[in-house]
Amino acid sequence: MATRIPLIAGNWKMFKTGPEAADAARSLKSLLAGVSGVDVMIAPPFTALATVGDVLKDASIAVGAQNLHWESQGAFTGEIAPGMVKAAGCRHAIIGHSERRQLFGETDGDVNRKVQAALAVGLIPVLCIGETEAEREAAQTFSVLDKQVRLGLEGVSLQNPGDLVVAYEPLWAIGTGKTATREQAQEAHAYIRGLLRELYGETMADAMRILYGGSVKPDNIAALIGMDDIDGALVGGASLEPETFARIVKLGD
Ligand code: PEP
């Protein structure tokens, strides 16, 4: 089996001004100095990307955007183009987060356009997928994941396994304090990897990272990451506090 270096990503959502984000990034940089064997990414709000990028320029912590638009420029008031995100120093872009899908009506078609646009400028999309509580209770988890992966990645070709990250985030576990059991998460991750094998072949899929997201905390990260197909975490609430996030990166220590 391919060795996959874990990725721990923090999504700061609509929290922290530029100065607050810079302070948090400085703290993280010192808390994580010397930590190896794990990749780290944080996604601050757009207004803090440049400042945080500057603070972290000589640290091994990547910066990501929380969203982008698929057009490269134009009259799209309020939107941010992939090239702008890239020029601001981002390596990753979170795409299709459940809050974008649920609160802002993003469709799988939009997600697909964003994934393609991110790849076209050399950003690594972090494609978020996951079922609602009602869908899980109706035994539709796999069919929802199937649709989100196939439509989100329709026509997407990848050169390297590191070019794209998938994040499985069951909606019922986001910001609720409810975490999927490690067995529930592993089952979904194994299913997603099976889909990636169909789309990209075994060698590629086995080297791609699939993150878990949903109330990840210092006390549950080790159990989750101990599962075969869980290659890291996308962390919301617990990423806002540098000490807590650093403990997650250190797998709970
Ligand atoms: C998220 O929003 O991606 C997330 C996983 O949030 P939380 O960790 O707060 O559940």
Side-chain angles (χ1 to χ4, degrees), residues 11 13 97 99 169 173-176 213-217 234-238:
N11 174 11
K13 307 192 181 187
H97 189 277
E99 286 151 17
E169 300 205 303
I174 295 185
T176 58
S215 301
V216 172
K217 304 273 183 308
L234 180 53
V235 186

mmCIF file with all atom_site columns, all heavy atoms in Angstrom, residues 11 13 97 99 169 173-176 213-217 234-238, ligand 1:
data_model
loop_
_atom_site.group_PDB
_atom_site.id
_atom_site.type_symbol
_atom_site.label_atom_id
_atom_site.label_alt_id
_atom_site.label_comp_id
_atom_site.label_asym_id
_atom_site.label_entity_id
_atom_site.label_seq_id
_atom_site.pdbx_PDB_ins_code
_atom_site.Cartn_x
_atom_site.Cartn_y
_atom_site.Cartn_z
_atom_site.occupancy
_atom_site.B_iso_or_equiv
_atom_site.pdbx_formal_charge
_atom_site.auth_seq_id
_atom_site.auth_comp_id
_atom_site.auth_asym_id
_atom_site.auth_atom_id
_atom_site.pdbx_PDB_model_num
ATOM   1   N N   . ASN A 1 11  ? -9.617  25.060 8.829  1.00 0.00 ? 11  ASN A N   1
ATOM   2   C CA  . ASN A 1 11  ? -10.496 25.985 8.108  1.00 0.00 ? 11  ASN A CA  1
ATOM   3   C C   . ASN A 1 11  ? -10.977 27.036 9.102  1.00 0.00 ? 11  ASN A C   1
ATOM   4   O O   . ASN A 1 11  ? -11.774 26.730 9.990  1.00 0.00 ? 11  ASN A O   1
ATOM   5   C CB  . ASN A 1 11  ? -11.677 25.188 7.525  1.00 0.00 ? 11  ASN A CB  1
ATOM   6   C CG  . ASN A 1 11  ? -12.718 26.080 6.887  1.00 0.00 ? 11  ASN A CG  1
ATOM   7   O OD1 . ASN A 1 11  ? -12.507 27.267 6.690  1.00 0.00 ? 11  ASN A OD1 1
ATOM   8   N ND2 . ASN A 1 11  ? -13.867 25.492 6.552  1.00 0.00 ? 11  ASN A ND2 1
ATOM   9   N N   . LYS A 1 13  ? -12.795 29.551 8.513  1.00 0.00 ? 13  LYS A N   1
ATOM   10  C CA  . LYS A 1 13  ? -14.121 30.072 8.153  1.00 0.00 ? 13  LYS A CA  1
ATOM   11  C C   . LYS A 1 13  ? -14.147 31.606 8.247  1.00 0.00 ? 13  LYS A C   1
ATOM   12  O O   . LYS A 1 13  ? -13.158 32.236 7.924  1.00 0.00 ? 13  LYS A O   1
ATOM   13  C CB  . LYS A 1 13  ? -15.204 29.425 9.032  1.00 0.00 ? 13  LYS A CB  1
ATOM   14  C CG  . LYS A 1 13  ? -15.113 27.898 9.002  1.00 0.00 ? 13  LYS A CG  1
ATOM   15  C CD  . LYS A 1 13  ? -16.310 27.220 9.612  1.00 0.00 ? 13  LYS A CD  1
ATOM   16  C CE  . LYS A 1 13  ? -16.102 25.713 9.549  1.00 0.00 ? 13  LYS A CE  1
ATOM   17  N NZ  . LYS A 1 13  ? -17.267 24.967 9.973  1.00 0.00 ? 13  LYS A NZ  1
ATOM   18  N N   . HIS A 1 97  ? -17.239 23.019 0.280  1.00 0.00 ? 97  HIS A N   1
ATOM   19  C CA  . HIS A 1 97  ? -17.521 22.818 1.713  1.00 0.00 ? 97  HIS A CA  1
ATOM   20  C C   . HIS A 1 97  ? -19.041 22.790 1.912  1.00 0.00 ? 97  HIS A C   1
ATOM   21  O O   . HIS A 1 97  ? -19.777 23.493 1.217  1.00 0.00 ? 97  HIS A O   1
ATOM   22  C CB  . HIS A 1 97  ? -16.887 23.947 2.531  1.00 0.00 ? 97  HIS A CB  1
ATOM   23  C CG  . HIS A 1 97  ? -16.954 23.688 3.998  1.00 0.00 ? 97  HIS A CG  1
ATOM   24  N ND1 . HIS A 1 97  ? -18.079 23.966 4.746  1.00 0.00 ? 97  HIS A ND1 1
ATOM   25  C CD2 . HIS A 1 97  ? -16.056 23.139 4.846  1.00 0.00 ? 97  HIS A CD2 1
ATOM   26  C CE1 . HIS A 1 97  ? -17.851 23.611 6.000  1.00 0.00 ? 97  HIS A CE1 1
ATOM   27  N NE2 . HIS A 1 97  ? -16.637 23.104 6.090  1.00 0.00 ? 97  HIS A NE2 1
ATOM   28  N N   . GLU A 1 99  ? -20.922 24.121 3.961  1.00 0.00 ? 99  GLU A N   1
ATOM   29  C CA  . GLU A 1 99  ? -21.547 25.431 4.192  1.00 0.00 ? 99  GLU A CA  1
ATOM   30  C C   . GLU A 1 99  ? -21.763 26.161 2.868  1.00 0.00 ? 99  GLU A C   1
ATOM   31  O O   . GLU A 1 99  ? -22.750 26.878 2.690  1.00 0.00 ? 99  GLU A O   1
ATOM   32  C CB  . GLU A 1 99  ? -20.696 26.257 5.176  1.00 0.00 ? 99  GLU A CB  1
ATOM   33  C CG  . GLU A 1 99  ? -20.849 25.710 6.589  1.00 0.00 ? 99  GLU A CG  1
ATOM   34  C CD  . GLU A 1 99  ? -19.652 25.905 7.495  1.00 0.00 ? 99  GLU A CD  1
ATOM   35  O OE1 . GLU A 1 99  ? -18.778 26.737 7.184  1.00 0.00 ? 99  GLU A OE1 1
ATOM   36  O OE2 . GLU A 1 99  ? -19.581 25.199 8.526  1.00 0.00 ? 99  GLU A OE2 1
ATOM   37  N N   . GLU A 1 169 ? -16.707 14.830 4.994  1.00 0.00 ? 169 GLU A N   1
ATOM   38  C CA  . GLU A 1 169 ? -17.227 15.557 6.147  1.00 0.00 ? 169 GLU A CA  1
ATOM   39  C C   . GLU A 1 169 ? -18.723 15.302 6.271  1.00 0.00 ? 169 GLU A C   1
ATOM   40  O O   . GLU A 1 169 ? -19.536 15.996 5.641  1.00 0.00 ? 169 GLU A O   1
ATOM   41  C CB  . GLU A 1 169 ? -17.000 17.057 5.963  1.00 0.00 ? 169 GLU A CB  1
ATOM   42  C CG  . GLU A 1 169 ? -15.538 17.434 5.809  1.00 0.00 ? 169 GLU A CG  1
ATOM   43  C CD  . GLU A 1 169 ? -15.287 18.871 6.234  1.00 0.00 ? 169 GLU A CD  1
ATOM   44  O OE1 . GLU A 1 169 ? -15.910 19.776 5.684  1.00 0.00 ? 169 GLU A OE1 1
ATOM   45  O OE2 . GLU A 1 169 ? -14.498 19.055 7.161  1.00 0.00 ? 169 GLU A OE2 1
ATOM   46  N N   . ALA A 1 173 ? -21.806 15.870 11.600 1.00 0.00 ? 173 ALA A N   1
ATOM   47  C CA  . ALA A 1 173 ? -20.687 15.907 12.544 1.00 0.00 ? 173 ALA A CA  1
ATOM   48  C C   . ALA A 1 173 ? -19.959 17.248 12.512 1.00 0.00 ? 173 ALA A C   1
ATOM   49  O O   . ALA A 1 173 ? -19.009 17.460 13.260 1.00 0.00 ? 173 ALA A O   1
ATOM   50  C CB  . ALA A 1 173 ? -19.708 14.781 12.225 1.00 0.00 ? 173 ALA A CB  1
ATOM   51  N N   . ILE A 1 174 ? -20.400 18.163 11.632 1.00 0.00 ? 174 ILE A N   1
ATOM   52  C CA  . ILE A 1 174 ? -19.687 19.444 11.515 1.00 0.00 ? 174 ILE A CA  1
ATOM   53  C C   . ILE A 1 174 ? -20.205 20.442 12.531 1.00 0.00 ? 174 ILE A C   1
ATOM   54  O O   . ILE A 1 174 ? -21.388 20.793 12.530 1.00 0.00 ? 174 ILE A O   1
ATOM   55  C CB  . ILE A 1 174 ? -19.808 20.010 10.086 1.00 0.00 ? 174 ILE A CB  1
ATOM   56  C CG1 . ILE A 1 174 ? -19.101 19.081 9.108  1.00 0.00 ? 174 ILE A CG1 1
ATOM   57  C CG2 . ILE A 1 174 ? -19.224 21.421 10.021 1.00 0.00 ? 174 ILE A CG2 1
ATOM   58  C CD1 . ILE A 1 174 ? -19.044 19.602 7.702  1.00 0.00 ? 174 ILE A CD1 1
ATOM   59  N N   . GLY A 1 175 ? -19.304 20.868 13.422 1.00 0.00 ? 175 GLY A N   1
ATOM   60  C CA  . GLY A 1 175 ? -19.644 21.889 14.409 1.00 0.00 ? 175 GLY A CA  1
ATOM   61  C C   . GLY A 1 175 ? -20.672 21.437 15.427 1.00 0.00 ? 175 GLY A C   1
ATOM   62  O O   . GLY A 1 175 ? -21.219 22.253 16.159 1.00 0.00 ? 175 GLY A O   1
ATOM   63  N N   . THR A 1 176 ? -20.938 20.140 15.488 1.00 0.00 ? 176 THR A N   1
ATOM   64  C CA  . THR A 1 176 ? -21.998 19.649 16.377 1.00 0.00 ? 176 THR A CA  1
ATOM   65  C C   . THR A 1 176 ? -21.432 18.974 17.618 1.00 0.00 ? 176 THR A C   1
ATOM   66  O O   . THR A 1 176 ? -22.163 18.686 18.556 1.00 0.00 ? 176 THR A O   1
ATOM   67  C CB  . THR A 1 176 ? -22.844 18.581 15.645 1.00 0.00 ? 176 THR A CB  1
ATOM   68  O OG1 . THR A 1 176 ? -21.960 17.521 15.239 1.00 0.00 ? 176 THR A OG1 1
ATOM   69  C CG2 . THR A 1 176 ? -23.537 19.157 14.438 1.00 0.00 ? 176 THR A CG2 1
ATOM   70  N N   . GLY A 1 213 ? -13.401 15.094 8.298  1.00 0.00 ? 213 GLY A N   1
ATOM   71  C CA  . GLY A 1 213 ? -13.751 16.344 8.965  1.00 0.00 ? 213 GLY A CA  1
ATOM   72  C C   . GLY A 1 213 ? -15.077 16.222 9.681  1.00 0.00 ? 213 GLY A C   1
ATOM   73  O O   . GLY A 1 213 ? -16.032 15.622 9.167  1.00 0.00 ? 213 GLY A O   1
ATOM   74  N N   . GLY A 1 214 ? -15.138 16.815 10.866 1.00 0.00 ? 214 GLY A N   1
ATOM   75  C CA  . GLY A 1 214 ? -16.376 16.795 11.645 1.00 0.00 ? 214 GLY A CA  1
ATOM   76  C C   . GLY A 1 214 ? -16.027 16.657 13.112 1.00 0.00 ? 214 GLY A C   1
ATOM   77  O O   . GLY A 1 214 ? -15.799 15.549 13.589 1.00 0.00 ? 214 GLY A O   1
ATOM   78  N N   . SER A 1 215 ? -15.930 17.811 13.812 1.00 0.00 ? 215 SER A N   1
ATOM   79  C CA  . SER A 1 215 ? -15.651 17.816 15.247 1.00 0.00 ? 215 SER A CA  1
ATOM   80  C C   . SER A 1 215 ? -14.367 17.059 15.609 1.00 0.00 ? 215 SER A C   1
ATOM   81  O O   . SER A 1 215 ? -14.322 16.352 16.621 1.00 0.00 ? 215 SER A O   1
ATOM   82  C CB  . SER A 1 215 ? -16.852 17.283 16.022 1.00 0.00 ? 215 SER A CB  1
ATOM   83  O OG  . SER A 1 215 ? -17.992 18.084 15.751 1.00 0.00 ? 215 SER A OG  1
ATOM   84  N N   . VAL A 1 216 ? -13.338 17.215 14.781 1.00 0.00 ? 216 VAL A N   1
ATOM   85  C CA  . VAL A 1 216 ? -12.038 16.622 15.132 1.00 0.00 ? 216 VAL A CA  1
ATOM   86  C C   . VAL A 1 216 ? -11.407 17.453 16.248 1.00 0.00 ? 216 VAL A C   1
ATOM   87  O O   . VAL A 1 216 ? -11.436 18.681 16.230 1.00 0.00 ? 216 VAL A O   1
ATOM   88  C CB  . VAL A 1 216 ? -11.104 16.555 13.898 1.00 0.00 ? 216 VAL A CB  1
ATOM   89  C CG1 . VAL A 1 216 ? -9.700  16.125 14.306 1.00 0.00 ? 216 VAL A CG1 1
ATOM   90  C CG2 . VAL A 1 216 ? -11.673 15.603 12.848 1.00 0.00 ? 216 VAL A CG2 1
ATOM   91  N N   . LYS A 1 217 ? -10.876 16.756 17.239 1.00 0.00 ? 217 LYS A N   1
ATOM   92  C CA  . LYS A 1 217 ? -10.310 17.396 18.431 1.00 0.00 ? 217 LYS A CA  1
ATOM   93  C C   . LYS A 1 217 ? -9.014  16.658 18.798 1.00 0.00 ? 217 LYS A C   1
ATOM   94  O O   . LYS A 1 217 ? -8.762  15.555 18.288 1.00 0.00 ? 217 LYS A O   1
ATOM   95  C CB  . LYS A 1 217 ? -11.283 17.249 19.623 1.00 0.00 ? 217 LYS A CB  1
ATOM   96  C CG  . LYS A 1 217 ? -12.689 17.794 19.388 1.00 0.00 ? 217 LYS A CG  1
ATOM   97  C CD  . LYS A 1 217 ? -12.762 19.267 19.729 1.00 0.00 ? 217 LYS A CD  1
ATOM   98  C CE  . LYS A 1 217 ? -14.136 19.878 19.583 1.00 0.00 ? 217 LYS A CE  1
ATOM   99  N NZ  . LYS A 1 217 ? -14.866 19.721 18.361 1.00 0.00 ? 217 LYS A NZ  1
ATOM   100 N N   . LEU A 1 234 ? -9.682  17.632 8.226  1.00 0.00 ? 234 LEU A N   1
ATOM   101 C CA  . LEU A 1 234 ? -10.042 19.019 7.957  1.00 0.00 ? 234 LEU A CA  1
ATOM   102 C C   . LEU A 1 234 ? -10.751 19.491 9.230  1.00 0.00 ? 234 LEU A C   1
ATOM   103 O O   . LEU A 1 234 ? -11.773 18.923 9.614  1.00 0.00 ? 234 LEU A O   1
ATOM   104 C CB  . LEU A 1 234 ? -10.950 19.116 6.728  1.00 0.00 ? 234 LEU A CB  1
ATOM   105 C CG  . LEU A 1 234 ? -11.408 20.520 6.311  1.00 0.00 ? 234 LEU A CG  1
ATOM   106 C CD1 . LEU A 1 234 ? -10.248 21.488 6.142  1.00 0.00 ? 234 LEU A CD1 1
ATOM   107 C CD2 . LEU A 1 234 ? -12.199 20.453 5.007  1.00 0.00 ? 234 LEU A CD2 1
ATOM   108 N N   . VAL A 1 235 ? -10.159 20.486 9.869  1.00 0.00 ? 235 VAL A N   1
ATOM   109 C CA  . VAL A 1 235 ? -10.599 20.874 11.205 1.00 0.00 ? 235 VAL A CA  1
ATOM   110 C C   . VAL A 1 235 ? -11.200 22.275 11.164 1.00 0.00 ? 235 VAL A C   1
ATOM   111 O O   . VAL A 1 235 ? -10.563 23.208 10.656 1.00 0.00 ? 235 VAL A O   1
ATOM   112 C CB  . VAL A 1 235 ? -9.390  20.869 12.170 1.00 0.00 ? 235 VAL A CB  1
ATOM   113 C CG1 . VAL A 1 235 ? -9.849  21.130 13.608 1.00 0.00 ? 235 VAL A CG1 1
ATOM   114 C CG2 . VAL A 1 235 ? -8.618  19.560 12.069 1.00 0.00 ? 235 VAL A CG2 1
ATOM   115 N N   . GLY A 1 236 ? -12.410 22.432 11.674 1.00 0.00 ? 236 GLY A N   1
ATOM   116 C CA  . GLY A 1 236 ? -13.041 23.747 11.727 1.00 0.00 ? 236 GLY A CA  1
ATOM   117 C C   . GLY A 1 236 ? -12.789 24.397 13.078 1.00 0.00 ? 236 GLY A C   1
ATOM   118 O O   . GLY A 1 236 ? -11.722 24.961 13.333 1.00 0.00 ? 236 GLY A O   1
ATOM   119 N N   . GLY A 1 237 ? -13.773 24.291 13.976 1.00 0.00 ? 237 GLY A N   1
ATOM   120 C CA  . GLY A 1 237 ? -13.727 24.973 15.271 1.00 0.00 ? 237 GLY A CA  1
ATOM   121 C C   . GLY A 1 237 ? -12.411 24.829 16.022 1.00 0.00 ? 237 GLY A C   1
ATOM   122 O O   . GLY A 1 237 ? -11.857 25.815 16.530 1.00 0.00 ? 237 GLY A O   1
ATOM   123 N N   . ALA A 1 238 ? -11.888 23.622 16.073 1.00 0.00 ? 238 ALA A N   1
ATOM   124 C CA  . ALA A 1 238 ? -10.683 23.377 16.874 1.00 0.00 ? 238 ALA A CA  1
ATOM   125 C C   . ALA A 1 238 ? -9.412  23.901 16.198 1.00 0.00 ? 238 ALA A C   1
ATOM   126 O O   . ALA A 1 238 ? -8.330  23.800 16.776 1.00 0.00 ? 238 ALA A O   1
ATOM   127 C CB  . ALA A 1 238 ? -10.556 21.881 17.177 1.00 0.00 ? 238 ALA A CB  1
HETATM 128 C C1  . PEP B 2 .   ? -15.563 21.979 8.902  1.00 0.00 ? 1   PEP B C1  1
HETATM 129 O O1  . PEP B 2 .   ? -16.305 22.954 8.886  1.00 0.00 ? 1   PEP B O1  1
HETATM 130 O O2  . PEP B 2 .   ? -14.959 21.627 7.882  1.00 0.00 ? 1   PEP B O2  1
HETATM 131 C C2  . PEP B 2 .   ? -15.454 21.231 10.145 1.00 0.00 ? 1   PEP B C2  1
HETATM 132 C C3  . PEP B 2 .   ? -15.012 20.009 10.096 1.00 0.00 ? 1   PEP B C3  1
HETATM 133 O O3  . PEP B 2 .   ? -15.844 21.890 11.282 1.00 0.00 ? 1   PEP B O3  1
HETATM 134 P P1  . PEP B 2 .   ? -15.723 21.340 12.792 1.00 0.00 ? 1   PEP B P1  1
HETATM 135 O O4  . PEP B 2 .   ? -14.327 20.777 12.951 1.00 0.00 ? 1   PEP B O4  1
HETATM 136 O O5  . PEP B 2 .   ? -15.955 22.544 13.644 1.00 0.00 ? 1   PEP B O5  1
HETATM 137 O O6  . PEP B 2 .   ? -16.759 20.281 12.951 1.00 0.00 ? 1   PEP B O6  1
#
